[in-house]
Amino acid sequence: MFYHIAGTVAELDSYLAVIDCSGVGYALNVSANTLSRLRPGERAKLYVSEIVKEDAFDLYGFYTKAEKRSFELLIGVSGVGPKAALSILSSSTPENLAMAILAGDEKALTVAPGIGKKIAQRVVYELRDKMAKETGSLSLPVQSAPGAAGAGGDKLSDAAAALAVLGYGAAEINAALKGVDTGALTTEAIVKAALKNMMK
């Protein structure tokens, strides 16, 4: 099982990156967001998700752990395959995807090529359900500023819910939010700050 692949970017193509590791080129399917961060000849590390079928062994590479988690959550939704998941992640960052699911914003998902209303509704429904189960076990470390309520509660609760959508567990979310000053930040900024804490 691959966790990540690190090496030199040998080739880039539409939704494809080839990473050379000591003379072996690994072809990874990637989103447009990951592709935009890679440069031929430069070193890169991509987090890997494997999909094994009877007639195929495909590798999917992601620049961040959050994008990898988002991909794995998306392909867990009934009717969403790897190509559809990559399409969604090419049109949205993991944070924006989480916020769209949290807000029930199906239109934000249908901007991705090949993603119709039914698939978008299914993604929102199934992942919001997962989010509700995860956030039920959260004990938030700090409180948001008074009056900073969003559609699903205060900013901190919304940020925690968004992180749960990205596949993070209660312990990880609590630890990541502890050092974040939520006072002047938007919910999306809190999510981004928490993700940075997780990468330290």
Side-chain angles (χ1 to χ4, degrees):
M1 181 176 178
F2 293 100
Y3 181 74
H4 70 252
I5 290 177
T8 303
V9 179
E11 292 181 42
L12 296 175
D13 205 343
S14 179
Y15 294 99
L16 182 74
V18 178
I19 306 296
D20 186 306
C21 302
S22 303
V24 177
Y26 292 92
L28 298 105
N29 299 285
V30 296
S31 69
N33 285 327
T34 287
L35 197 64
S36 70
R37 298 190 183 201
L38 304 176
R39 299 289 178 271
E42 293 185 1
R43 287 193 62 78
K45 178 172 82 171
L46 297 182
Y47 296 96
V48 177
S49 183
E50 305 166 324
I51 295 186
V52 181
K53 298 178 181 176
E54 277 186 24
D55 58 347
F57 177 74
D58 294 322
L59 299 178
Y60 293 80
F62 306 94
Y63 199 78
T64 66
K65 289 180 183 178
E67 192 179 34
K68 178 190 173 186
R69 282 176 181 258
S70 298
F71 174 80
E72 290 173 346
L73 283 169
L74 285 168
I75 62 174
V77 173
S78 54
V80 178
K83 286 185 181 178
L86 277 189
S87 180
I88 292 171
L89 290 171
S90 292
S91 303
S92 179
T93 63
E95 307 94 85
N96 289 340
L97 171 64
M99 297 305 297
I101 292 166
L102 181 64
D105 185 1
E106 299 157 10
K107 289 182 181 178
L109 302 182
T110 58
V111 299
I115 304 302
K117 186 177 179 181
K118 285 186 179 179
I119 295 247
Q121 287 175 334
R122 200 173 297 136
V123 168
V124 169
Y125 175 77
E126 291 191 24
L127 294 186
R128 280 184 88 176
D129 186 52
K130 181 178 178 65
M131 170 191 76
K133 290 174 184 173
E134 277 290 341
T135 52
S137 60
L138 284 172
S139 121
L140 298 176
V142 290
Q143 293 300 316
S144 298
D154 66 26
K155 292 188 295 181
L156 189 62
S157 296
D158 287 349
L163 290 165
V165 168
L166 293 176
Y168 292 99
E172 291 174 296
I173 292 170
N174 284 328
L177 288 173
K178 274 184 184 174
V180 179
D181 178 10
T182 61
L185 297 177
T186 64
T187 303
E188 188 177 341
I190 295 170
V191 172
K192 287 181 179 178
L195 288 172
K196 282 183 182 177
N197 285 344
M198 289 179 183
M199 296 175 72
K200 290 177 181 177

